[in-house]
DNA sequence: GTCTATAACGAGATAGAC
DNA sequence: GTCTATCTCGTTATAGAC
């Protein structure tokens, strides 16, 4: 069960990335591939190949099969995005500007990936709404976490709790929708405009 | 090629819905199923069954196979949503209120369908961004059409063209994102809050 | 235009040696 | 924990009778 994450590369060379265990590599590959191709568009064999693991290892760590893998992949994307969001908004005294900058950084990442690496949750979640309850609820938790990060930052900047709660909803919704529009149209424009409008909206509540 | 759309039900009884030809039934079924399950989650056999057609008929009308079917389905959803949007914003002297009401009506439709009937384009488009260029560009056209409807209504209400263009981007992005969030969380809240914030944002530009 | 049968392939999942 | 072989089923797509 437990693996030493440093079984090789022991003498701490300049290698920046830690050596991932098999389970972690599988999770990372599943998250990345499902982010790009969705649940049905991603095969378990493809995940195993991308993770440099065998099919047997995948089912060893995830006996629940593809569904379990999908929920774990969404949890992974949840944490990843929450950290980025927290880092961007954490100690900002001007949350409106911080949110706008974060939206532009999403456009940067998206353009770098040629518009394929969008939200790590929405693609997987959308196609499985009425069909895979565990996947759907994992996605709902993720959205909730992200709203908490935004709402906390807004409250810390002096915005009343109820306003902060509602603004957090619209900030996350608009970022999601603008990222989707940017992917589909292959353009930074939706996210850049969303940055401007979200800043204006947040500032109206101070 | 051409079919009489009234080959039966000739005496114009009180039947409200027109009799659809085979091709139209296939398009409608494909649009509905891909809206719910995405491109990869929807099988051609399932489409044929839902449309009361045979597999042979599907390939007769759509020799390009699943890809062609998907682009036609997106075009269908495009027109459908553009009409609803146009009806809601067409002759409104208060576009901010009209947009808010429309967002709430989206929440109504979503709740009625138990959160499965979301945007007729985004689910199909998202999973195919880096993989099916024809599908992606059909989705991009749809988003463009919808923005034109919004931007036209805003311009007619006296908002300068550049502001109207940018607002249309955010209106569509936010509606998309809020609908996605509502589906995932099984709640009207994202769309109801988006309605309020979009109205406030639009009013700030008058 | 509609229907059935089937080809060709890949999917998710399992078994069991090592 | 890892690997390979395999089972079973469903998929897209095609062929050809009617």
């Amino acid at each position: 069960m437990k693996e030493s994450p440093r079984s090789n590369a022991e003498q701490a060379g300049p290698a920046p990335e830690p050596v991932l265990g098999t389970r972690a590599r599988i999770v990372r590959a599943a998250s990345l591939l499902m982010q790009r191709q969705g649940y049905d568009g991603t095969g378990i064999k493809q995940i195993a190949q991308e993770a440099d693991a065998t099919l047997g290892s995948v089912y060893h760590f995830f006996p629940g099969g593809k569904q379990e893998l999908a929920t774990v992949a969404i949890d992974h994307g949840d944490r990843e995005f929450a950290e980025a969001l927290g880092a961007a908004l954490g100690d900002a005294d001007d949350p409106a500007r911080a949110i706008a900058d974060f939206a532009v950084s999403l456009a940067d990442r998206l353009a770098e990936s040629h518009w394929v690496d969008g939200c790590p949750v929405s693609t997987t979640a959308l196609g499985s709404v009425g069909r895979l309850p565990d996947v759907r609820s994992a996605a709902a938790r993720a959205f909730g976490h992200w709203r908490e990060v935004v709402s906390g930052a807004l409250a810390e900047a002096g915005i009343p709790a109820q306003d902060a709660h509602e603004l957090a909803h619209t900030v996350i919704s608009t970022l999601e929708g603008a990222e989707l529009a940017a992917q589909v149209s292959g353009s930074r424009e939706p996210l850049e405009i969303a940055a401007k409008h979200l800043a204006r909206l947040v500032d109206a509540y101070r």
Side-chain angles (χ1 to χ4, degrees), chain A:
Chain A
M1 192 72 87
K2 300 206 186 102
E3 310 174 33
S4 163
R6 297 185 175 275
S7 54
N8 37 3
E10 195 64 76
Q11 39 275 73
E17 48 192 63
V19 176
L20 294 177
T22 305
R23 203 196 111 104
R25 289 201 315 275
I26 292 170
V27 171
R28 198 163 55 78
S31 180
L32 184 71
L33 289 171
M34 288 192 180
Q35 172 186 36
R36 293 183 181 168
Q37 305 170 342
Y39 180 85
D40 292 297
T42 304
I44 295 192
K45 287 177 183 171
Q46 189 186 10
I47 292 171
Q49 190 169 11
E50 180 80 16
D52 275 313
T54 61
L55 202 55
S57 293
V58 174
Y59 280 97
H60 170 75
F61 287 110
F62 304 96
K66 199 177 184 182
Q67 275 201 44
E68 183 184 355
L69 202 40
T71 67
V72 173
I74 287 189
D75 288 343
H76 178 80
D78 175 3
R79 278 190 298 275
E80 206 174 41
F81 194 80
E83 277 173 28
L85 200 53
L89 308 189
D91 54 347
D93 40 81
D94 185 350
R97 171 124 253 121
I99 289 169
D101 289 347
F102 183 72
V104 172
S105 82
L106 287 182
D108 292 338
R109 281 181 51 92
L110 214 48
E112 278 172 28
S113 75
H114 298 275
W115 319 105
V116 298
D117 285 341
C119 171
V121 166
S122 55
T123 309
T124 311
L126 245 190
S128 59
V129 163
R131 206 166 29 123
L132 307 170
D134 293 352
V135 175
R136 191 206 59 81
S137 64
R141 277 198 308 275
F143 281 22
H145 290 155
W146 304 345
R147 284 194 297 262
E148 280 171 27
V149 173
V150 173
S151 140
L154 293 177
E156 211 166 322
I159 293 179
Q162 177 66 16
D163 289 341
H165 168 83
E166 294 185 358
L167 282 172
H169 262 280
T170 295
V171 167
I172 297 300
S173 292
T174 301
L175 289 180
E176 287 291 331
E179 189 156 35
L180 163 61
Q183 288 190 258
V184 164
S185 61
S187 159
R188 306 172 53 97
E189 204 178 5
L191 276 165
E192 286 174 346
I193 294 173
K196 170 179 162 181
H197 284 155
L198 283 179
R200 180 158 185 161
L201 181 66
V202 168
D203 269 331
Y205 279 88
R206 303 189 69 187

